[in-house]
Amino acid sequence: MKKVFLILGIIAGALLLLCCGGGVALYYFADTTTYAKPSDACATVTGAQGIAPFGAVKDQQPKSTNAFGRTYPGCVVTFETAGTLTVMIDVTSSESDVRVHYDSIKKAADASVAAGATVADVSGIGTKAFAMYTTADKALLYELDLYHGNLYISLNITAPAGTTLTPDKVRADFLTMARSMMSSLEETSSGGDLGD
């Protein structure tokens, strides 16, 4: 009788291991979103949905950033009246690299609250996201930073004094832009450069 219970126990244990262990294995081996480094950052930015509300583009220039031991692309877009938009796109080989990038920028943003900036977490996009803005001297400086998978995006607009842009309006347009850029970069991931 003891042998029967022992055998039943082994079978139950094996089934439990297959069930739960398999679930854990599936969790760890499940596909995660992988993004490709853009071949043309400015095309990725100006082709994104959500940029049109800022008006006519006067100029656009690529801008690379050297930080965190790597170089990543970006773009500076100057609008006729809305100001200047700076976008950085950091695509790495691992999520941990972009998480370090995000945590570092978020820490700096939190420190700026004492100087009058408003900083808040943003839900509904990426793994983590936050926005920061100031309206000093009636000008608007607004930034949205997020990461997801191996992708980090920062969108930052500097609008001149007297701007009609509001933080809520910029936030909505930035979320649309970021989602559009994420979709575009994900679509090209199969044949793209996955970062340094």
PDB file of all heavy atoms in Angstrom, residues 74-88:
ATOM      1  N   GLY A  74      19.258  60.218 -32.976  1.00  0.00           N
ATOM      2  CA  GLY A  74      18.157  61.095 -32.621  1.00  0.00           C
ATOM      3  C   GLY A  74      17.926  62.092 -33.725  1.00  0.00           C
ATOM      4  O   GLY A  74      18.540  62.017 -34.799  1.00  0.00           O
ATOM      5  N   CYS A  75      17.058  63.034 -33.468  1.00  0.00           N
ATOM      6  CA  CYS A  75      16.718  64.031 -34.475  1.00  0.00           C
ATOM      7  C   CYS A  75      16.241  65.298 -33.781  1.00  0.00           C
ATOM      8  O   CYS A  75      15.541  65.227 -32.761  1.00  0.00           O
ATOM      9  CB  CYS A  75      15.619  63.496 -35.393  1.00  0.00           C
ATOM     10  SG  CYS A  75      15.231  64.586 -36.781  1.00  0.00           S
ATOM     11  N   VAL A  76      16.625  66.444 -34.341  1.00  0.00           N
ATOM     12  CA  VAL A  76      16.146  67.731 -33.854  1.00  0.00           C
ATOM     13  C   VAL A  76      15.277  68.329 -34.967  1.00  0.00           C
ATOM     14  O   VAL A  76      15.751  68.535 -36.083  1.00  0.00           O
ATOM     15  CB  VAL A  76      17.310  68.687 -33.519  1.00  0.00           C
ATOM     16  CG1 VAL A  76      16.769  70.040 -33.068  1.00  0.00           C
ATOM     17  CG2 VAL A  76      18.193  68.085 -32.440  1.00  0.00           C
ATOM     18  N   VAL A  77      14.003  68.556 -34.638  1.00  0.00           N
ATOM     19  CA  VAL A  77      13.051  69.098 -35.604  1.00  0.00           C
ATOM     20  C   VAL A  77      12.646  70.493 -35.143  1.00  0.00           C
ATOM     21  O   VAL A  77      12.181  70.669 -34.018  1.00  0.00           O
ATOM     22  CB  VAL A  77      11.793  68.199 -35.719  1.00  0.00           C
ATOM     23  CG1 VAL A  77      10.819  68.774 -36.749  1.00  0.00           C
ATOM     24  CG2 VAL A  77      12.175  66.774 -36.070  1.00  0.00           C
ATOM     25  N   THR A  78      12.821  71.485 -36.027  1.00  0.00           N
ATOM     26  CA  THR A  78      12.416  72.848 -35.717  1.00  0.00           C
ATOM     27  C   THR A  78      11.136  73.149 -36.488  1.00  0.00           C
ATOM     28  O   THR A  78      11.077  72.962 -37.707  1.00  0.00           O
ATOM     29  CB  THR A  78      13.510  73.860 -36.126  1.00  0.00           C
ATOM     30  OG1 THR A  78      14.730  73.484 -35.483  1.00  0.00           O
ATOM     31  CG2 THR A  78      13.138  75.273 -35.701  1.00  0.00           C
ATOM     32  N   PHE A  79      10.121  73.601 -35.754  1.00  0.00           N
ATOM     33  CA  PHE A  79       8.843  73.937 -36.376  1.00  0.00           C
ATOM     34  C   PHE A  79       8.771  75.436 -36.655  1.00  0.00           C
ATOM     35  O   PHE A  79       9.483  76.228 -36.044  1.00  0.00           O
ATOM     36  CB  PHE A  79       7.688  73.522 -35.455  1.00  0.00           C
ATOM     37  CG  PHE A  79       7.635  72.046 -35.178  1.00  0.00           C
ATOM     38  CD1 PHE A  79       8.150  71.531 -33.996  1.00  0.00           C
ATOM     39  CD2 PHE A  79       7.100  71.171 -36.101  1.00  0.00           C
ATOM     40  CE1 PHE A  79       8.122  70.174 -33.725  1.00  0.00           C
ATOM     41  CE2 PHE A  79       7.057  69.806 -35.852  1.00  0.00           C
ATOM     42  CZ  PHE A  79       7.572  69.303 -34.662  1.00  0.00           C
ATOM     43  N   GLU A  80       7.889  75.825 -37.553  1.00  0.00           N
ATOM     44  CA  GLU A  80       7.732  77.240 -37.904  1.00  0.00           C
ATOM     45  C   GLU A  80       7.367  78.083 -36.681  1.00  0.00           C
ATOM     46  O   GLU A  80       7.918  79.160 -36.479  1.00  0.00           O
ATOM     47  CB  GLU A  80       6.666  77.411 -38.992  1.00  0.00           C
ATOM     48  CG  GLU A  80       7.044  76.824 -40.343  1.00  0.00           C
ATOM     49  CD  GLU A  80       8.111  77.626 -41.074  1.00  0.00           C
ATOM     50  OE1 GLU A  80       8.438  78.752 -40.637  1.00  0.00           O
ATOM     51  OE2 GLU A  80       8.626  77.123 -42.083  1.00  0.00           O
ATOM     52  N   THR A  81       6.432  77.596 -35.867  1.00  0.00           N
ATOM     53  CA  THR A  81       5.994  78.390 -34.713  1.00  0.00           C
ATOM     54  C   THR A  81       6.002  77.628 -33.394  1.00  0.00           C
ATOM     55  O   THR A  81       6.073  78.240 -32.332  1.00  0.00           O
ATOM     56  CB  THR A  81       4.562  78.921 -34.936  1.00  0.00           C
ATOM     57  OG1 THR A  81       3.672  77.813 -35.136  1.00  0.00           O
ATOM     58  CG2 THR A  81       4.511  79.854 -36.141  1.00  0.00           C
ATOM     59  N   ALA A  82       5.957  76.291 -33.431  1.00  0.00           N
ATOM     60  CA  ALA A  82       5.780  75.519 -32.198  1.00  0.00           C
ATOM     61  C   ALA A  82       7.047  75.341 -31.380  1.00  0.00           C
ATOM     62  O   ALA A  82       6.981  74.901 -30.238  1.00  0.00           O
ATOM     63  CB  ALA A  82       5.181  74.146 -32.511  1.00  0.00           C
ATOM     64  N   GLY A  83       8.213  75.676 -31.934  1.00  0.00           N
ATOM     65  CA  GLY A  83       9.448  75.502 -31.180  1.00  0.00           C
ATOM     66  C   GLY A  83      10.305  74.382 -31.740  1.00  0.00           C
ATOM     67  O   GLY A  83      10.269  74.102 -32.940  1.00  0.00           O
ATOM     68  N   THR A  84      11.054  73.733 -30.856  1.00  0.00           N
ATOM     69  CA  THR A  84      12.011  72.702 -31.274  1.00  0.00           C
ATOM     70  C   THR A  84      11.737  71.390 -30.550  1.00  0.00           C
ATOM     71  O   THR A  84      11.595  71.359 -29.334  1.00  0.00           O
ATOM     72  CB  THR A  84      13.452  73.161 -30.971  1.00  0.00           C
ATOM     73  OG1 THR A  84      13.690  74.398 -31.640  1.00  0.00           O
ATOM     74  CG2 THR A  84      14.461  72.135 -31.446  1.00  0.00           C
ATOM     75  N   LEU A  85      11.692  70.326 -31.338  1.00  0.00           N
ATOM     76  CA  LEU A  85      11.477  68.975 -30.818  1.00  0.00           C
ATOM     77  C   LEU A  85      12.785  68.203 -30.936  1.00  0.00           C
ATOM     78  O   LEU A  85      13.375  68.138 -32.009  1.00  0.00           O
ATOM     79  CB  LEU A  85      10.387  68.258 -31.618  1.00  0.00           C
ATOM     80  CG  LEU A  85      10.201  66.753 -31.365  1.00  0.00           C
ATOM     81  CD1 LEU A  85       9.637  66.513 -29.972  1.00  0.00           C
ATOM     82  CD2 LEU A  85       9.291  66.155 -32.429  1.00  0.00           C
ATOM     83  N   THR A  86      13.240  67.639 -29.829  1.00  0.00           N
ATOM     84  CA  THR A  86      14.434  66.789 -29.831  1.00  0.00           C
ATOM     85  C   THR A  86      14.014  65.379 -29.434  1.00  0.00           C
ATOM     86  O   THR A  86      13.364  65.194 -28.406  1.00  0.00           O
ATOM     87  CB  THR A  86      15.494  67.312 -28.839  1.00  0.00           C
ATOM     88  OG1 THR A  86      15.815  68.665 -29.189  1.00  0.00           O
ATOM     89  CG2 THR A  86      16.751  66.464 -28.898  1.00  0.00           C
ATOM     90  N   VAL A  87      14.372  64.408 -30.271  1.00  0.00           N
ATOM     91  CA  VAL A  87      14.010  63.014 -30.024  1.00  0.00           C
ATOM     92  C   VAL A  87      15.278  62.175 -29.973  1.00  0.00           C
ATOM     93  O   VAL A  87      16.152  62.316 -30.829  1.00  0.00           O
ATOM     94  CB  VAL A  87      13.071  62.474 -31.122  1.00  0.00           C
ATOM     95  CG1 VAL A  87      12.718  61.005 -30.859  1.00  0.00           C
ATOM     96  CG2 VAL A  87      11.806  63.314 -31.213  1.00  0.00           C
ATOM     97  N   MET A  88      15.382  61.308 -28.964  1.00  0.00           N
ATOM     98  CA  MET A  88      16.493  60.352 -28.859  1.00  0.00           C
ATOM     99  C   MET A  88      15.913  58.946 -28.868  1.00  0.00           C
ATOM    100  O   MET A  88      14.890  58.686 -28.218  1.00  0.00           O
ATOM    101  CB  MET A  88      17.287  60.589 -27.583  1.00  0.00           C
ATOM    102  CG  MET A  88      18.024  61.909 -27.554  1.00  0.00           C
ATOM    103  SD  MET A  88      18.981  62.150 -26.034  1.00  0.00           S
ATOM    104  CE  MET A  88      17.690  62.242 -24.809  1.00  0.00           C
TER     105      MET A  88
END
